[in-house]
Amino acid sequence: MMKSIRPEAISDNAFKLIGKDWMLITACEKSVDAEGNVKTGRVNTMTASWGGFGIMWNKPVATIYVRPTRFTKEIIDSTDSFSLSVLPEQYKNALNYCGSHSGRDGDKFKACKLNVEYMNDTPWIKQARLVFFCRKLYAQEIDPFCFSEELLCKQNYRKDDFHTMYIAEITKVIEAHK
């Protein structure tokens, strides 16, 4: 069972959450019909091990980075919200799979036996122990000319596939009831 908590109440270390535990970025295509009803479309998820949490524009935010080749990027660009799901350790194989396979080519949820739930039209992973619901505020491609250390750019962008940085307001956090 999941319970809602304030972002300030998260007891996990942010560096461990992102860099070691990883998370799944999950989003779905959305469209609005003539009557103003939101219809959800294709859902996809991808593993993220780069990102951050903090305060920006007086809001609690999450920052994620997505390469242009990722199918999830197309979906994030077409919607205003996404979720970040942190899974328990036993799902590390699923995280590896979701980070190395494309949703264009198959159903990652079925392959990994992950279940999708929705909160206000935003998909999230039911097996998660912690979920951040995010509303997109800002997006910008990493600019190679802005690197202070040229070596970082050369090491991380050999194919000139610069990430898009998304800053999103954390609108809700839920965690598994302990």
Side-chain angles (χ1 to χ4, degrees):
M1 182 166 161
M2 303 295 274
K3 68 174 183 171
S4 183
I5 62 169
R6 295 181 338 276
E8 304 84 28
I10 297 165
S11 60
D12 290 271
N13 177 296
F15 293 96
K16 183 179 176 296
L17 273 179
I18 298 165
K20 184 177 183 298
D21 295 347
W22 305 343
M23 57 190 162
L24 290 175
I25 302 170
T26 308
C28 69
E29 297 169 331
K30 292 181 188 173
S31 62
V32 181
D33 66 18
E35 288 81 42
N37 300 311
V38 176
K39 293 186 177 190
T40 56
R42 183 133 185 225
V43 179
N44 197 49
T45 195
M46 65 172 272
T47 303
S49 61
W50 289 11
F53 297 108
I55 303 295
M56 187 77 170
W57 305 305
N58 300 313
K59 298 175 182 295
V61 298
T63 305
I64 61 169
Y65 302 86
V66 182
R67 290 196 192 265
T69 55
R70 300 302 299 255
F71 180 54
T72 302
K73 182 182 183 317
E74 294 174 27
I75 296 174
I76 291 172
D77 287 344
S78 74
T79 188
D80 61 348
S81 67
F82 57 87
S83 68
L84 305 173
S85 297
V86 180
L87 280 70
E89 181 67 31
Q90 70 258 31
Y91 290 94
K92 202 62 159 184
N93 286 340
L95 288 161
N96 279 320
Y97 184 90
C98 291
S100 60
H101 292 78
S102 176
R104 281 187 192 96
D105 304 327
D107 186 339
K108 293 183 193 183
F109 302 104
K110 186 175 181 180
C112 295
K113 297 181 175 82
L114 296 174
N115 302 99
V116 178
E117 297 282 330
Y118 288 85
M119 184 173 294
N120 299 327
D121 300 321
T122 301
W124 59 283
I125 308 302
K126 185 176 181 177
Q127 289 83 354
R129 65 177 185 80
L130 182 65
V131 182
F132 299 84
F133 293 91
C134 301
R135 183 176 63 89
K136 195 169 58 174
L137 299 174
Y138 181 84
Q140 182 174 345
E141 186 176 299
I142 298 289
D143 184 339
F145 299 104
C146 292
F147 278 90
S148 298
E149 293 184 31
E150 191 176 323
L151 184 59
L152 280 176
C153 185
K154 287 181 180 178
Q155 288 174 334
N156 291 286
Y157 299 103
R158 292 184 180 126
K159 298 178 183 177
D160 291 334
D161 55 343
F162 296 96
H163 288 89
T164 295
M165 173 186 66
Y166 298 91
I167 300 173
E169 178 181 10
I170 299 170
T171 58
K172 186 175 188 86
V173 179
I174 58 174
E175 72 175 350
H177 196 317
K178 298 174 185 175

